[in-house]
């Protein structure tokens, strides 16, 4: 709808620009939503922008534009000029229903971008080997997956990259302890995947880490292993692979439970870049920007300072010749730009890594690596806040340990079972369990996605599972409610008209909301904020609830009214399930 209006309005603003000898640009078309419904469906604020160049007060320009818009227009029923220079537009019903008809059964096509597809690299999840996912990884995994889905729905080519922490000192520490255990298991013919679950590997890592802190011999031992590993010792590499697979197998179980699309083909861990690090450092050195500082190879960019104002380096290679987190990321950027031919790179990690990414992006730019066809390839850090417990402190179990995601999800599913059981006791137990899973997982994901990602949020089962409010169960319930109308009325969907023929005020509001979807999806793509979509779906479901209260559907006053309303119902159902699909959340038919 918005596109159509922009097109309609642009041609007149363009004509006006020609009259005043001013070159038109699409940025001049400033369309807003009026604060109140009575003020029209859309408002144009362009007169304010044109006032300076036209040397006229905005209200006069708005009046001139209004005259132009009014002449032979077919989509507005009323166009008004409002001080200080707005033009307010009221759509006529037939423009709305005509647009609805385009959406009918074709929502996926309506949200597609009309631009050439971009190759977008999305770096998300990025778990560390031999460690369980921590809360930061959960958010990265959920948010990243949804951004990938939205970009794909827009028609972009998405390349997901799971930048695993799978190389370097921590791995050497694990191997120091694990290699002997693996030998033992081999000797006794035991299966490592049974004997070494991720929790155990994590324990082993912690022990080894502690040992290195406490005694120098252990530390020396680990460093020896690191060198051997880096030099390609085959037995160590085998063990490393084994540890990686043992870890990832468990991580994939969580991904599947969360319905996250990452698979082995997306694994591009730090280890993937190990052969490219030296080259990366050489290239940076050739740029002349690298200096030696306290034995380390560094780049100092003037915008980065420590707290006391002294220059803050980006350490490209450590003084002992080793590489660090920055080096891996520099090598990865090069690969993504040159080999993957990225048009946009997105990193989904918690806000505490903001400085790291600012430095990485600044250096990439300084080196000119992200220049493509005279343009800069955008690199964006999708930062997010923490998940807090109900006490407002970082989420921990009662005994003070980090909360395990798998436990959290299990509890959500169990609690949902009770909700479903209460709401719909007639469902078969099998159905109840299936629905409970969709509701529980959906609730956890939605609670995360519906927040402005920059903020911390409090994890509360009661709130996320509430059937009222901006929650997944509320949306799922709205969806199931529409489905039940079709079931109860034994409606043959092929008889539903693609265009409704009557629009009561609440139906009009509902229709405009449905038509807003493409605008919202585009906004999510641009700003990388899934909560826009959540807010939208919540508003849609709320208007649907009003519609459902005010407008009898199956017992409408005439067959034509009934069909017209069913047409709206179908669009609501399809829009909610499409929207939930973009959020990676199931929309069951019954609940
Ligand atoms: N593995 C890292 C961590 O757990 C996150 C990596 C994010 N991606 C990146 N390219 N640096 O903190």
């Amino acid at each position: 709808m918005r596109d159509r209006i922009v097109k309609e309005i642009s041609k007149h603003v363009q004509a006006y620009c020609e009259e005043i000898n001013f070159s038109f640009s699409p940025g001049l078309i400033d369309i807003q939503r009026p604060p109140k419904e009575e003020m029209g469906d859309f408002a144009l604020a362009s007169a304010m922008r044109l006032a300076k160049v036209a040397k006229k007060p905005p209200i006069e320009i708005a009046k001139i534009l209004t005259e132009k818009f009014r002449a032979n227009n077919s989509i507005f029923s009323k166009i008004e000029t409002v001080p200080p220079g707005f033009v307010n537009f009221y759509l006529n019903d037939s423009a709305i229903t005509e647009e609805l008809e385009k959406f009918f059964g074709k929502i996926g096509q309506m949200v597609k971008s009309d631009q050439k597809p971009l190759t977008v690299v999305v770096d998300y999840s990025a778990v560390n080997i031999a460690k369980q996912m921590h809360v930061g990884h959960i958010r990265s995994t959920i948010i990243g997956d949804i951004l990938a889905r939205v970009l794909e729905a827009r028609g972009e080519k998405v390349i997901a990259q799971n930048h695993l922490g799978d190389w370097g000192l921590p791995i050497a520490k694990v191997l120091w302890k694990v290699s002997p255990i693996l030998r033992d298991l081999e000797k006794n013919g035991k299966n490592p995947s049974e004997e070494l679950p991720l929790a155990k590997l994590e324990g082993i890592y912690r022990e080894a880490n502690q040992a290195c802190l406490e005694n120098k011999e252990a530390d020396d031992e680990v460093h020896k292993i690191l060198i051997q590993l880096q030099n390609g010792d085959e037995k160590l590499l085998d063990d490393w692979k084994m540890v990686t697979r043992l870890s990832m197998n468990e991580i994939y179980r969580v991904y599947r439970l969360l319905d996250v699309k990452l698979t082995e083909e997306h694994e591009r861990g730090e280890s993937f870049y190990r052969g490219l690090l030296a080259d990366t450092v050489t290239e940076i050195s050739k740029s002349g920007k690298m200096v030696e500082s306290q034995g380390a190879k560094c780049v100092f960019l003037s915008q980065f300072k420590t707290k006391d104002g002294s220059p803050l380096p980006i350490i490209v290679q450590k003084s002992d010749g080793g590489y660090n987190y920055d080096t891996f990321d520099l090598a990865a950027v090069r690969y993504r730009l040159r080999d993957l031919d990225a048009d946009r790179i997105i990193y989904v990690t918690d806000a505490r890594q903001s400085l790291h990414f600012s430095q990485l992006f600044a250096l990439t730019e300084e080196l000119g690596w992200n220049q493509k066809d005279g343009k800069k390839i955008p690199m964006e850090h999708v930062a997010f806040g923490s998940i807090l417990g109900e006490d407002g402190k970082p989420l921990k179990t009662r005994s003070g340990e980090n909360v395990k995601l798998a436990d959290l999800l299990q509890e959500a599913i169990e609690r949902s079972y009770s909700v479903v059981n209460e709401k719909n006791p007639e469902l078969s137990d099998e159905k109840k369990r299936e629905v409970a899973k969709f509701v529980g997982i959906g609730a956890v994901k939605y609670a995360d996605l519906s927040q402005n990602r920059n903020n911390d949020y409090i994890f509360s089962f009661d709130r996320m599972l509430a059937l009222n409010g901006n929650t997944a169960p509320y949306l799922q319930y709205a969806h199931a409610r529409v489905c039940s109308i079709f079931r109860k009325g034994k409606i043959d969907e092929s008889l539903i008209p693609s265009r409704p023929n009557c629009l009561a005020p609440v139906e009009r509001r509902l229709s405009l909301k449905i038509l807003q979807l493409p605008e919202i999806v585009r906004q999510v793509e641009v700003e990388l904020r899934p909560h826009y979509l959540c807010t939208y779906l919540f508003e849609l479901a709320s208007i649907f609830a009003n519609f459902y209260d005010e407008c009898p559907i199956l017992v409408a006053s005439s067959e034509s009214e009934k069909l017209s309303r069913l047409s709206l119902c179908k669009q609501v159902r399809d829009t909610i399930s499409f929207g939930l699909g973009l959020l990676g959340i199931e929309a069951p038919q019954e609940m």
Side-chain angles (χ1 to χ4, degrees):
M1 191 83 246
R2 195 174 202 275
D3 284 348
R4 179 151 173 210
I5 290 161
V6 169
K7 210 153 131 208
E8 174 76 18
I9 290 174
S10 296
K11 66 179 189 222
H12 295 298
V13 175
Q14 201 159 359
Y16 178 70
C17 285
E18 267 160 36
E19 281 163 29
I20 62 165
N21 265 324
F22 181 66
S23 75
F24 171 84
S25 71
L28 273 177
I29 305 296
D30 182 358
I31 293 180
Q32 307 177 351
R33 299 233 168 214
K36 283 195 209 123
E37 210 169 289
E38 311 81 78
M39 297 169 75
D41 301 315
F42 294 93
L44 182 73
S46 304
M48 267 66 82
R49 299 193 177 190
L50 284 165
K52 247 207 196 122
V53 277
K55 301 203 177 60
K56 276 197 176 101
I59 189 78
E60 261 180 57
I61 299 170
K63 279 186 186 147
I64 299 172
L65 291 175
T66 302
E67 285 316 309
K68 289 188 184 294
F69 297 143
R70 279 182 184 158
N72 67 47
N73 105 77
S74 58
I75 61 174
F76 301 116
S77 57
K78 192 160 80 170
I79 305 173
E80 276 177 350
T81 313
V82 195
F86 288 101
V87 182
N88 289 356
F89 299 92
Y90 301 73
L91 288 161
N92 63 38
D93 285 0
S94 89
I96 297 175
T97 56
E98 194 186 315
E99 203 65 17
L100 278 173
E101 185 164 28
K102 293 190 201 152
F103 274 62
F104 194 83
K106 294 198 217 83
I107 296 175
Q109 281 169 38
M110 301 313 290
V111 304
K112 280 231 154 63
S113 151
D114 53 8
Q115 308 287 311
K116 184 171 153 263
L118 300 174
T119 299
V120 187
V121 170
V122 188
D123 176 322
Y124 69 102
S125 195
V127 296
N128 300 319
I129 292 311
K131 283 190 202 153
Q132 307 192 69
M133 273 199 200
H134 64 59
V135 171
H137 296 127
I138 300 172
R139 294 206 76 184
S140 172
T141 304
I142 296 178
I143 296 171
D145 182 61
I146 273 51
L147 294 177
R149 285 173 195 255
V150 168
L151 289 159
E152 245 156 37
R154 290 279 293 155
E156 317 300 6
K157 177 182 169 207
V158 174
I159 306 183
Q161 297 278 282
N162 199 349
H163 192 88
L164 307 177
D166 65 352
W167 198 248
L169 198 57
I171 302 300
K173 287 178 186 166
V174 177
L175 291 177
W176 172 52
K177 288 271 182 199
V178 161
S179 288
I181 300 178
L182 286 173
R183 294 298 84 74
D184 229 43
L185 295 176
E186 275 161 26
K187 218 166 50 205
N188 299 316
K190 287 201 176 140
N191 183 354
S193 53
E194 274 156 28
E195 307 296 322
L196 289 171
L198 190 47
K200 188 142 181 204
L201 287 173
E202 185 166 359
I204 291 174
Y205 168 74
R206 277 210 219 105
E207 256 173 54
N209 198 33
Q210 195 56 37
C212 290
L213 289 174
E214 282 163 8
N215 104 44
K216 184 158 172 344
E217 271 151 50
D219 199 51
D220 288 346
E221 197 68 29
V222 163
H223 273 88
K224 243 190 263 157
I225 291 178
L226 180 62
I227 308 261
Q228 282 171 351
L229 181 71
Q230 285 169 340
N231 290 339
D233 180 290
E234 272 183 36
K235 198 75 210 150
L236 275 172
L237 278 174
D238 282 348
D239 290 353
W240 163 73
K241 266 189 213 131
M242 174 62 88
V243 172
T244 305
R245 285 342 307 158
L246 289 175
S247 306
M248 288 313 288
N249 287 347
E250 231 163 286
I251 299 288
Y252 282 117
R253 271 205 290 281
V254 179
Y255 287 164
R256 294 297 85 85
L257 192 58
L258 282 171
D259 194 16
V260 160
K261 291 190 178 166
L262 288 171
T263 61
E264 222 175 303
E265 86 181 91
H266 305 112
E267 286 180 21
R268 286 289 179 288
E270 293 181 341
S271 63
F272 178 80
Y273 302 101
R274 62 188 192 265
L276 305 169
L277 300 168
D279 225 33
T280 305
V281 176
T282 310
E283 188 174 336
I284 299 174
S285 140
K286 282 194 188 139
S287 74
K289 297 184 200 302
M290 201 167 83
V291 294
E292 211 160 291
S293 169
Q294 297 170 18
K297 295 186 173 140
C298 305
V299 179
F300 289 92
L301 297 177
S302 59
Q303 63 268 47
F304 298 105
K305 300 239 160 38
T306 62
K307 271 198 202 99
D308 59 23
S310 46
L312 184 71
I314 299 162
I315 302 176
V316 176
Q317 191 171 10
K318 294 187 288 181
S319 56
D320 65 2
Y323 303 107
N324 62 10
Y325 193 52
D326 291 277
T327 330
F328 284 102
D329 258 328
L330 284 160
V333 157
R334 251 168 118 234
Y335 170 76
R336 291 167 185 183
L337 290 164
R338 295 181 194 170
D339 298 78
L340 301 181
D341 200 19
D343 298 307
R344 183 181 189 187
I345 311 181
I346 293 165
Y347 295 82
V348 190
T349 72
D350 68 273
R352 285 170 305 182
Q353 297 202 30
S354 293
L355 175 62
H356 164 74
F357 286 110
S358 306
Q359 290 190 315
L360 176 70
F361 301 165
L363 180 52
T364 305
E365 220 171 294
E366 192 72 24
L367 294 164
W369 287 359
N370 63 335
Q371 288 286 338
K372 182 172 164 184
D373 312 326
K375 275 200 233 118
K376 266 188 216 150
I377 301 296
M379 309 199 339
E380 291 149 275
H381 179 207
V382 174
F384 51 80
S386 311
I387 308 182
L388 307 176
E390 305 227 29
D391 56 359
K393 299 204 184 97
L395 194 63
K396 293 264 163 28
T397 61
R398 242 175 246 141
S399 53
E401 280 162 53
N402 278 333
V403 176
K404 282 187 223 123
L405 180 58
D407 296 345
L408 219 62
L409 295 176
Q410 209 44 54
E411 183 167 351
I413 295 172
E414 274 157 32
R415 286 179 185 241
S416 306
Y417 183 85
S418 330
V419 177
V420 177
N421 200 17
E422 199 184 299
K423 200 83 198 165
N424 205 344
E426 293 94 66
L427 284 183
S428 71
D429 196 57
E430 194 191 342
K431 198 90 209 149
K432 277 182 202 159
R433 287 195 190 285
E434 184 191 73
V435 174
K437 190 174 147 197
F438 293 155
V439 172
I441 304 284
V444 172
K445 289 172 87 168
Y446 191 88
D448 196 300
L449 296 165
S450 56
Q451 306 289 323
N452 178 342
R453 59 175 161 75
N454 293 96
N455 301 339
D456 296 344
Y457 75 91
I458 292 182
F459 189 95
S460 155
F461 278 121
D462 289 338
R463 212 174 313 149
M464 69 178 68
L465 289 171
L467 281 169
N468 277 315
N470 188 9
T471 64
Y474 176 72
L475 297 175
Q476 289 169 319
Y477 189 64
H479 176 266
R481 182 137 93 173
V482 190
C483 293
S484 85
I485 299 172
F486 286 88
R487 247 192 334 267
K488 275 196 205 121
K490 300 204 172 55
I491 304 300
D492 174 356
E493 280 199 39
S494 67
L495 300 179
I496 296 177
S498 51
R499 186 171 176 174
N501 59 18
C502 50
L503 290 183
V506 67
E507 294 177 292
R508 194 178 184 281
R509 225 179 304 136
L510 187 60
S511 304
L512 285 173
K513 197 36 90 182
I514 295 167
L515 298 177
Q516 203 190 350
L517 180 74
E519 197 181 316
I520 300 292
V521 175
R522 177 170 47 197
Q523 220 181 347
V524 177
E525 165 166 39
V526 173
E527 296 182 43
L528 306 173
R529 295 189 182 281
H531 79 277
Y532 292 151
L533 182 57
C534 299
T535 308
Y536 165 81
L537 290 172
F538 176 56
E539 286 167 357
L540 174 68
S542 309
I543 302 174
F544 173 73
N546 296 335
F547 161 77
Y548 189 80
D549 286 345
E550 288 173 33
C551 301
I553 300 164
L554 295 176
V555 289
S557 60
S558 68
E559 186 62 14
S560 123
E561 191 177 65
K562 170 177 157 186
L563 287 171
S564 175
R565 288 183 176 157
L566 283 170
S567 179
L568 284 177
C569 285
K570 178 177 151 69
Q571 298 251 29
V572 169
R573 181 196 67 192
D574 293 354
T575 307
I576 295 180
S577 86
F578 182 83
L580 285 176
L582 286 182
L583 297 172
I585 296 173
E586 292 282 342
Q589 308 236 336
E590 284 178 89
M591 65 181 268

